[in-house]
């Protein structure tokens, strides 16, 4: 297969272009993050997904700074943690993230969880709109929002999130939520796009992988691309970091896509239930 290292991009509501494949750093210790992100940037990733809650924004920032890449060539996402969703807490939380990252602006800032039990997702969204209007973030979005949470913030502000970053992989495909996104013009971003590795042993994926001479992980990431979602796989393994981006040299047939679509399960969720999660 042909190797290429530039991911296609998707245009967000505010006009920014987000690479369809980015590099996630959840559960990477801060001390190891700079090295992992440097490997990713060397491999050709131009989008990094971090969060205040990951405790590794400093490592991400150090790596971007030492890469020598122009700032506008790396798309940087971070997230507002649930403890900082009160109106007065939002801007200081963003400023701390920017400080740790060594940046003066984020490309995308997300509300990490709706935490409806806390009742603060609408005011947090109003504050994100203000941060965008102040030029501190280019695009604003949310994460782990269910349709009713999206509807509530849009009804209150008239502002539609650019992105909803949600758990999405072959065992948990979020069809109804994706349809809601399509109707609203929200880009779907897949977290745990490889199901944290748990889906990769599936025989359907093995057969498709063998047919193309690629790995099951590459098949899954190609499936995300062909579905139009943005995916942010994480790895600290150099060969996997490179291979996970190397998915542009083959194409899944309609039958292969249908076979992977068939792996969706009602009990496939790995992470928390968004309605119940309060941090
Ligand atoms: P992923 O689906 O990306 O899976 C990561 C796991 O798969 C790691 O154990 C990694 O191992 C392994 N892996 C990676 N590539 C391969 C490969 N080619 N072959 C075999 N195994 C592989 O899970 P994550 O939960 O890390 O999700 C990705 C990103 O999504 C996070 O880093 C974070 O940025 C974001 N996220 C956001 C959440 C949210 O609430 N908004 C929640 C969870 C994640 P190894 O590292 O050892 O190579």
């Amino acid at each position: 297969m042909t190797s290429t290292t530039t991911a296609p991009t998707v245009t967000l509501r505010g006009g920014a272009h987000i690479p369809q494949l980015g590099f996630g750093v959840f559960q990477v210790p801060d001390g190891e993050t700079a090295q992992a992100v440097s490997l990713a940037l060397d491999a050709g990733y131009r989008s990094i997904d971090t969060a205040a809650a990951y405790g590794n924004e400093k490592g991400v920032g150090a790596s971007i700074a030492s890469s020598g890449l122009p700032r506008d060539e790396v798309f940087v996402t971070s997230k507002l943690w649930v403890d900082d969703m009160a109106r007065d807490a939002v801007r200081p939380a963003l400023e701390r993230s920017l400080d740790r990252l060594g940046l003066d602006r984020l490309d995308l800032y997300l509300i990490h969880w709706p935490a409806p039990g806390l009742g603060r997702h609408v005011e947090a969204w109003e504050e994100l709109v203000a941060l965008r209007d102040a030029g501190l973030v280019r695009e604003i979005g949310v994460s782990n929002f269910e349709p009713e949470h999206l509807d509530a913030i849009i009804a209150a502000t008239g502002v539609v999130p650019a992105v909803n970053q949600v758990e999405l992989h072959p065992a948990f495909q979020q069809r109804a939520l994706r349809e809601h996104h399509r109707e609203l013009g929200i880009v779907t971003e897949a977290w745990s796009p490889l199901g944290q590795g748990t889906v990769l042993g599936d025989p359907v994926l093995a057969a498709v992988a063998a047919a193309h001479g690629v790995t099951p992980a590459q098949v899954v990431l190609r499936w995300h691309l062909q579905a139009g979602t943005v995916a942010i796989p994480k790895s600290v393994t150099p060969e996997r970091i490179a291979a996970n981006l190397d998915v542009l040299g083959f194409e899944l047939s309609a039958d292969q896509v249908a076979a992977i679509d068939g792996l969706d399960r009602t009990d496939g969720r790995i992470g928390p239930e968004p309605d119940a999660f309060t941090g």
Side-chain angles (χ1 to χ4, degrees):
M1 89 191 205
T2 319
S3 167
T4 170
T5 52
T6 307
T9 60
V10 171
T11 304
L12 301 179
R13 303 185 74 81
H17 303 288
I18 184 171
Q20 241 189 310
L21 281 172
F23 186 67
V25 296
F26 178 44
Q27 291 174 326
V28 183
D30 197 29
E32 295 167 34
T33 300
Q35 190 191 357
V37 173
S38 294
L39 285 169
L41 294 173
D42 286 349
Y45 291 82
R46 289 296 179 267
S47 169
I48 311 294
D49 182 85
T50 184
Y54 299 170
N56 56 20
E57 291 171 307
K58 274 193 176 167
V60 170
S63 174
I64 292 171
S66 68
S67 73
L69 287 165
R71 170 66 188 93
D72 62 3
E73 281 191 26
V74 187
F75 190 100
V76 183
T77 301
S78 193
K79 313 188 191 86
L80 175 76
W81 188 236
V82 291
D83 295 345
D84 295 318
M85 288 169 74
R87 190 173 300 286
D88 293 347
V90 175
R91 184 168 177 148
L94 172 71
E95 286 170 346
R96 289 194 299 276
S97 282
L98 289 172
D99 188 50
R100 288 187 290 261
L101 285 158
L103 301 176
D104 53 17
R105 188 171 70 152
L106 283 180
D107 296 292
L108 178 62
Y109 197 41
L110 306 178
I111 300 177
H112 205 146
W113 290 88
L118 302 179
R120 297 215 181 268
H121 51 303
V122 170
E123 71 188 75
W125 183 243
E126 289 168 347
E127 288 303 307
L128 257 64
V129 172
L131 295 175
R132 182 200 61 184
D133 292 348
L136 291 169
V137 300
R138 286 178 79 187
E139 302 274 357
I140 51 175
V142 295
S143 179
N144 300 303
F145 273 45
E146 298 287 340
E148 63 271 25
H149 312 134
L150 293 170
D151 295 346
I153 63 171
I154 295 166
T157 61
V159 179
V160 178
V163 161
N164 188 13
Q165 185 187 110
V166 295
E167 179 177 345
L168 203 174
H169 45 77
F172 192 66
Q173 298 188 17
Q174 300 264 31
R175 293 232 173 82
L177 183 60
R178 283 156 74 185
E179 179 56 23
H180 202 66
H181 291 168
R182 200 189 57 74
E183 286 165 5
L184 292 168
I186 297 172
V187 170
T188 302
E189 185 171 24
W191 64 252
S192 294
L194 303 171
Q196 296 184 346
T198 58
V199 300
L200 300 178
D202 189 283
V204 168
L205 298 177
V208 176
H212 288 284
V214 299
T215 66
Q218 289 172 312
V219 168
V220 171
L221 293 168
R222 181 73 211 180
W223 171 81
H224 282 288
L225 291 196
Q226 289 184 214
T229 55
V230 172
I232 45 171
K234 170 264 177 186
S235 178
V236 292
T237 312
E239 313 82 67
R240 290 173 173 176
I241 291 173
N244 289 348
L245 190 61
D246 189 11
V247 298
L248 304 179
F250 68 103
E251 187 164 353
L252 304 176
S253 68
D255 285 351
Q256 290 169 335
V257 169
I260 301 167
D261 286 351
L263 300 179
D264 195 18
R265 301 203 320 254
T266 49
D267 65 347
R269 192 193 286 279
I270 297 171
E273 189 75 49
D275 246 338
F277 186 81
T278 52

